[in-house]
Amino acid sequence: MSILSSIPDKYKELLHTAANDLKSILWSEREDDAKLVQKGLLLYRQGLVSKVRLENDSIVANVQDVTRVQVEVNLNFFQISSCSCPAEGICRHQLAAFFQVFSQISRVTEWVDRWRQPIQERRTAKTLGIQRAKDLLKTAGSTKPDYEQWKQAFQSSFASIMGDPKATKPYLVTELFQVYSRKIRASAPVEQEWKQLYQLIASIHSFQYLLKFSEEQAFALEDIQRYYQNLFYQLIDDIEDLVEKLNVHALPFAFDSFMEKLKDDTYLLITGESILEFESAHLYVILWTKLFRKKQWHEEELPKVSELTRKKETLPGLIAYIHQHVMLRKDEKALQTLQLLNEQATPFMIYWLEKLSSGKEWKRMGLYVDTFSTMVRPYIQTLHDHYARMDFTRVAIKTVGAYAKETKKHDLYEKILIQALPYSYRGYDEFLFDQGLYEKWCDLQGYIGFDISSIPTEKIRLLQKERPDVLLPLYHQSIQQHIEMKNRGNYREAVKQLKKLRTLYKKLKRPDDFQHFLELLLDKTKRLRAFHQECERGKLTHA
């Protein structure tokens, strides 16, 4: 319908859903997003949206800007909306069209006010944070090395800055946490070795405080992910860097009591039901691999995590249980427990495999690689982001590749490469070619659907010389794909490849087979006059 006099209930629901999605996709805190929304509003308010209709769960409209553009807004997935303008991603024309239709069921100004609310309150938090920082820093000074005093100071500072329930909204957390972090840094000891230990203990406790704070405030997971999940990742990175720095030299004896207490306090990472289970388990694994390295400590920790998992099985608890068994070389028990987690344990498997690889414990590693090979595909399917799938596959292939190279267990390596397709294409492509498995290599190209012209010339030349028969199906597939495009340029490319195919058949002493194929192809495409003309020009046929 061109005039939106009445909007069906189905589209009303879609519009409200899309409006909520937009608040997550576009952030008022980002300057580019703020400008984009402002430009979309301007186009809408100037009445430059016309010929609006609703179809296929989308808004279709024209928008008059410098030039007229055609817009299609997908109400199910706003990110895949399209516009004839050159802008990438969501553009002002899509927003203008959306606002035009949304205005029929709700007030656009109310949506904009709700969308801008986080940045308005963020400014309030910044002012509040600066004032608090002034008060707190008055008493901040270097503290003497005392674990309990440090811990008490961290807790007191965190509560005083973050603890106001009226002021603390999810979008205020980053600003307030930065104020807290400045306070902690200002109180650090002057001596470098104590300063690093202080920063490490502060970061670990800050991670725990922030986690507990999030649970007490009952923030929704999507709000944490949007506004301040990056704080947890930054803390983990900082902790790992500090551990590496401390491990450069042997730790002084004066650190022993601090390490004992810190070790006991990090047990809290795996107790309870954390809203960020993966991050908690990840930090626990890092600390119990790189910092708490005494065998006695692992032996003392194992009964504690065993009792914990016996009472209730949670991801952090089970990962801790497996990790302690891995560190104590009790692989059979670790592998048994891995079966309970399946793909949930897959990212942690990378950590354990890398540890075994760095220690060149190839025999032990083989047991874990075998289990890992069954977990790769299910885990990849849980990742909704293409780049996350690519990153995981790259790390997995690199880690297992070192094992395969040392042990010559190419079958396991290939199994993992197959499990990770299509994200492992490049690695699998090189593996098959290097191993001389040309038939499988050809099948892989067909599976991916690459045009033969995109395959490196040196590989084509080698196969033309050693295994020309392998190239036949690739040329057949590529020729068919070009013909199906139904334009002159692709027809000419198809003819070029037909000539190369004819040469291969001659080399294989099968010219009659090529002629039979060509006759069938010409008969099948007899209505494609342009293709037949290109065949005549290429002297494949005669007029």
Side-chain angles (χ1 to χ4, degrees), residues 154-195:
F154 303 151
Q155 201 163 16
S156 176
S157 296
F158 189 91
S160 64
I161 295 172
M162 306 289 294
D164 186 348
K166 293 181 181 178
T168 310
K169 304 294 183 185
Y171 37 79
L172 308 180
V173 171
T174 297
E175 293 284 351
L176 295 176
F177 190 81
Q178 287 172 352
V179 174
Y180 161 75
S181 297
R182 289 197 295 272
K183 160 69 174 170
I184 296 303
R185 286 196 298 271
S187 302
V190 177
E191 301 88 346
Q192 187 60 30
E193 59 179 11
W194 283 107
K195 185 175 183 178

Side-chain angles (χ1 to χ4, degrees), residues 4 23 30 35 46 51 63 150-151 173 187 219 252 285 288 290 300 312 324-325 330 333 341 408 460 488:
L4 300 174
K23 284 191 283 188
R30 278 200 294 247
K35 288 180 179 178
Q46 289 177 336
K51 295 186 179 179
V63 181
W150 286 354
K151 183 177 171 181
V173 171
S187 302
F219 290 150
V285 168
W288 277 93
K290 298 184 176 182
E300 291 170 354
K312 189 166 187 178
Q324 294 301 339
H325 280 93
K330 298 181 178 182
K333 198 69 177 176
L341 289 173
K408 310 301 181 188
I460 298 294
R488 284 280 182 179

Side-chain angles (χ1 to χ4, degrees), residues 67-92:
T67 59
R68 186 183 296 274
V69 295
Q70 283 88 38
V71 172
E72 183 174 341
V73 177
N74 189 304
L75 294 175
N76 289 310
F77 302 100
F78 211 106
Q79 296 96 321
I80 63 173
S81 300
S82 62
C83 180
S84 59
C85 77
E88 294 183 4
I90 296 174
C91 69
R92 60 185 183 270

